[in-house]
Coordinates of all heavy atoms in Angstrom, one line a residue:
S21 N 0.8 -1.2 0.0 CA 0.0 0.0 0.0 C 0.9 1.2 -0.1 O 0.5 2.3 -0.8 CB -1.0 0.0 1.2 OG -0.2 0.1 2.4
L22 N 2.0 1.2 0.7 CA 2.9 2.4 0.7 C 3.7 2.4 -0.6 O 4.0 3.6 -1.1 CB 3.7 2.4 2.0 CG 3.1 2.9 3.2 CD1 4.1 3.1 4.3 CD2 2.4 4.3 3.0
L23 N 4.3 1.3 -1.0 CA 5.2 1.3 -2.2 C 4.4 1.7 -3.4 O 4.9 2.3 -4.3 CB 5.7 -0.2 -2.3 CG 6.8 -0.7 -1.4 CD1 7.1 -2.2 -1.6 CD2 8.0 0.2 -1.4
D24 N 3.0 1.5 -3.5 CA 2.4 1.8 -4.7 C 1.6 3.3 -4.6 O 1.0 3.6 -5.5 CB 1.2 0.7 -4.8 CG 1.7 -0.6 -5.1 OD1 2.9 -0.7 -5.6 OD2 1.0 -1.6 -5.0
D25 N 1.8 3.9 -3.5 CA 1.2 5.2 -3.2 C 2.3 6.2 -3.0 O 2.6 6.4 -1.8 CB 0.2 5.1 -2.2 CG -0.6 6.5 -2.0 OD1 -0.1 7.4 -2.6 OD2 -1.6 6.4 -1.3
D26 N 2.9 6.7 -4.1 CA 4.0 7.7 -3.9 C 3.6 8.9 -3.1 O 4.5 9.4 -2.3 CB 4.6 8.0 -5.2 CG 5.2 6.9 -6.0 OD1 5.6 5.9 -5.3 OD2 5.5 7.1 -7.3
D27 N 2.5 9.5 -3.4 CA 2.1 10.7 -2.6 C 2.0 10.5 -1.3 O 2.5 11.3 -0.4 CB 0.8 11.1 -3.3 CG 0.8 11.7 -4.8 OD1 2.0 11.9 -5.2 OD2 -0.2 11.7 -5.4
T28 N 1.3 9.4 -0.7 CA 1.2 9.1 0.7 C 2.6 8.9 1.3 O 2.9 9.4 2.4 CB 0.2 7.9 1.0 OG1 -1.0 8.3 0.4 CG2 0.4 7.6 2.4
R29 N 3.4 8.1 0.6 CA 4.7 7.8 1.2 C 5.6 9.1 1.3 O 6.3 9.2 2.4 CB 5.4 6.7 0.3 CG 6.6 6.1 1.0 CD 7.2 5.1 0.1 NE 7.8 5.6 -1.1 CZ 7.3 5.5 -2.3 NH1 6.2 4.9 -2.5 NH2 8.0 6.0 -3.4
L30 N 5.5 9.9 0.3 CA 6.4 11.2 0.4 C 5.8 12.1 1.5 O 6.6 12.8 2.1 CB 6.3 12.0 -1.0 CG 7.1 11.1 -2.0 CD1 7.0 11.9 -3.4 CD2 8.6 11.1 -1.7
R31 N 4.5 12.2 1.7 CA 3.8 12.9 2.7 C 4.3 12.4 4.1 O 4.7 13.2 5.0 CB 2.4 13.0 2.6 CG 1.7 13.6 3.8 CD 0.1 13.6 3.8 NE -0.3 12.2 3.6 CZ -0.5 11.5 4.7 NH1 -0.1 11.9 5.9 NH2 -1.0 10.2 4.6
M32 N 4.3 11.1 4.2 CA 4.8 10.5 5.5 C 6.3 10.7 5.7 O 6.5 11.0 6.9 CB 4.4 9.1 5.4 CG 3.0 8.7 5.7 SD 2.8 6.8 5.7 CE 1.1 6.7 6.1
A33 N 7.0 10.7 4.7 CA 8.5 11.0 4.9 C 8.6 12.5 5.6 O 9.5 12.5 6.5 CB 9.2 11.0 3.6
G34 N 8.0 13.4 5.1 CA 8.1 14.8 5.7 C 7.6 14.8 7.1 O 8.2 15.4 8.0
E35 N 6.4 14.1 7.3 CA 5.8 14.2 8.8 C 6.8 13.4 9.8 O 6.8 13.6 10.9 CB 4.5 13.7 8.8 CG 3.6 14.6 7.9 CD 2.2 14.2 8.1 OE1 1.7 13.4 9.0 OE2 1.2 14.8 7.3
A36 N 7.5 12.4 9.2 CA 8.3 11.4 10.1 C 9.4 12.3 10.6 O 9.8 12.1 11.8 CB 8.8 10.3 9.2
V37 N 10.0 13.1 9.8 CA 11.1 14.0 10.4 C 10.6 14.9 11.5 O 11.4 15.0 12.6 CB 11.6 14.8 9.3 CG1 12.8 15.7 9.7 CG2 12.3 13.9 8.1
Q38 N 9.5 15.5 11.4 CA 8.9 16.4 12.4 C 8.5 15.7 13.5 O 8.7 15.9 14.7 CB 7.6 17.1 12.0 CG 8.0 18.0 10.6 CD 6.7 18.5 10.1 OE1 5.7 18.8 10.8 NE2 6.6 18.9 8.9
H39 N 8.0 14.3 13.4 CA 7.6 13.5 14.6 C 8.9 13.1 15.4 O 8.9 13.2 16.6 CB 7.0 12.2 14.1 CG 6.6 11.2 15.1 ND1 5.7 11.5 16.1 CD2 7.0 10.0 15.3 CE1 5.7 10.5 17.0 NE2 6.4 9.4 16.4
A40 N 10.0 12.7 14.8 CA 11.2 12.3 15.4 C 11.9 13.4 16.1 O 12.6 13.2 17.1 CB 12.2 11.8 14.3
A41 N 11.6 14.7 15.7 CA 12.3 15.8 16.3 C 11.7 16.1 17.7 O 12.4 16.8 18.5 CB 12.0 17.1 15.4
N42 N 10.5 15.4 18.0 CA 10.0 15.6 19.4 C 10.7 14.6 20.3 O 10.4 14.7 21.5 CB 8.5 15.1 19.3 CG 7.7 16.2 18.5 OD1 8.0 17.4 18.5 ND2 6.7 15.7 17.6
F43 N 11.5 13.8 20.0 CA 12.2 12.9 20.8 C 13.8 13.2 20.7 O 14.4 13.0 19.7 CB 12.0 11.4 20.4 CG 10.5 11.0 20.5 CD1 9.6 11.4 19.4 CD2 10.1 10.4 21.7 CE1 8.3 11.0 19.6 CE2 8.6 10.1 21.7 CZ 7.9 10.3 20.6
S44 N 14.4 13.5 21.9 CA 15.8 13.8 21.9 C 16.4 13.1 23.1 O 15.7 13.0 24.3 CB 16.0 15.4 22.0 OG 15.7 15.9 23.3
W45 N 17.7 12.7 23.0 CA 18.3 12.2 24.2 C 18.7 13.2 25.3 O 18.7 12.9 26.4 CB 19.8 11.7 23.7 CG 19.5 10.4 22.8 CD1 19.9 10.2 21.5 CD2 19.0 9.2 23.3 NE1 19.6 8.9 21.2 CE2 19.0 8.3 22.1 CE3 18.3 8.6 24.5 CZ2 18.5 7.0 22.1 CZ3 17.8 7.3 24.4 CH2 17.9 6.5 23.4
S46 N 18.7 14.5 24.9 CA 18.9 15.5 26.0 C 17.8 15.5 26.8 O 17.8 15.8 28.1 CB 19.2 16.8 25.2 OG 19.3 17.9 26.2
A47 N 16.5 15.5 26.2 CA 15.3 15.6 27.0 C 15.1 14.2 27.9 O 14.7 14.4 29.1 CB 14.1 15.7 26.2
S48 N 15.5 13.2 27.3 CA 15.5 12.0 28.1 C 16.3 12.1 29.3 O 16.1 11.7 30.4 CB 15.9 10.8 27.3 OG 15.1 10.5 26.1
A49 N 17.5 12.5 29.1 CA 18.6 12.7 30.3 C 18.0 13.7 31.3 O 18.1 13.5 32.4 CB 19.8 13.1 29.8

């Protein structure tokens, strides 16, 4: 479903970066 849907996969790629930015080792420490 993701391999066949370039638009969705590319949108998720951008949102994935923003999502990961909410988690940092500095905050964990």
Side-chain angles (χ1 to χ4, degrees):
S21 69
L22 280 189
L23 290 173
D24 295 339
D25 188 344
D26 292 342
D27 291 340
T28 297
R29 195 176 67 254
L30 291 173
R31 172 181 60 78
M32 286 183 171
E35 294 186 11
V37 176
Q38 298 176 29
H39 177 64
N42 295 319
F43 298 83
S44 72
W45 291 119
S46 177
S48 301

